[in-house]
Amino acid sequence: MPDKFWPKNLRQRLHRLSGEPCLICLESAVTACGVCRHCLDILPWQPPGCIRCAVIVPDSTSAAPLCNRCAEESPAFDSCHAVFSYESPIDSQIRQFKDLQGFRAARSLGELLAISFKSHYRINSLQPPDLLVPVPLHTDRLRRRGFNQAKLLADAVHKFTRIPVLMEGCTRMQTNLAQRKLNAQGRLANIGHLFTINSNTKLTMGRRIAIIDDVITTTATARDIADIFRQAGCEHIEVWALARRN
C-alpha cells in the first residue's frame, strides 16, 4: 500500500521499529511495520475481487464482481476484506506467528492489517464498525496454543482505531479436526456446526461489527459466525483478514 494513503501520524508511529532487520528479507533497514520498503512493494497484496467474499474473480470486467458461489448463495456477512493473498512470504509469516509464537511477525502483520483497515474507511468515507469481534478459539485449542491469533490482530486494529474489541461474542464448539486440517469440502460441511450463541452475542444487536481472522479460505468460518450475529440482530457485518486463499 503506497505511503501516500497513510496519515502522517501513522507513518511516524511505523518508524518506531527502525533499527530492526526487515521481517521478510532479514537484511534491509526497516522503514514501516518492521518490513523494508522493497519488501513492502513486493508483498502479495490482495487485488480487488468478489464484493462479498473478496476472492479473486478471473476475467471479470464488472466494477462490482460476484464470484459464482456468492451469486448462488449470498453469505450472512455484507463484505469481506483481505490485506494479502495467502502466498509467499505472507503464508510463512502467518505460520510463524500462529505455530511458533512469532510475536515479532504478529506485531508487524497486525500493524499492516490495522493500517489497511483504517485507510479503507478513511479513503472511501465509510462508517467504521462499532465493534471488533475476533474469531474465538475453542478453550482446548486456546489452552494448547496459549493465545488467540485473531485476538492479537483485533488488538492491533484497536490501537489504531480505538474501536472496542468484543471478546467471546459467540462460543466455538468442539470439532474433531481444526478447520485448516480439512479440505474445502470438509470445511464447508462444517457450516452451522462451528459456533453457538452465548450471553455476549446479544451485545451485537443493532450494531455494526467487523469479524477479525487471520486467514480466509472457503469462508466456512466467516459464514458460520456471521449467521450467529445476524440471528442476534446485528445490523452490518464485515469480515477482515490478513490473507485470503484464492
Side-chain angles (χ1 to χ4, degrees), residues 16 27 39 67 70 75 126 149 156 161 172 182 207 227 233 239:
R16 75 179 185 273
E27 294 180 359
C39 288
C67 68
C70 287
L126 296 174
Q149 69 275 6
T161 64
R172 185 153 200 155
L182 299 174
R207 311 295 293 278
D227 281 339
V239 179

Side-chain angles (χ1 to χ4, degrees), residues 103-155:
F103 289 109
R104 187 180 168 215
R107 181 180 62 186
S108 294
L109 295 173
E111 291 198 4
L112 287 166
L113 172 62
I115 291 168
S116 297
F117 182 99
K118 187 167 185 174
S119 297
H120 169 76
Y121 297 100
R122 179 176 59 84
I123 293 170
N124 297 295
S125 300
L126 296 174
Q127 181 180 349
D130 303 310
L131 295 169
L132 305 174
V133 183
V135 172
L137 290 179
H138 187 269
T139 51
D140 289 345
R141 181 166 294 276
L142 179 60
R143 189 179 302 112
R144 290 195 298 270
R145 179 171 289 166
F147 65 95
N148 178 352
Q149 69 275 6
K151 167 63 163 56
L152 297 183
L153 295 173
D155 286 344

Side-chain angles (χ1 to χ4, degrees), residues 13 27 30 48 50 60 68 95 107 119 129 139 156 179 210 233 238:
R13 289 184 63 187
E27 294 180 359
V30 168
C50 173
S60 174
N68 291 336
R95 289 194 296 270
R107 181 180 62 186
S119 297
T139 51
Q179 282 287 91
E238 297 187 28

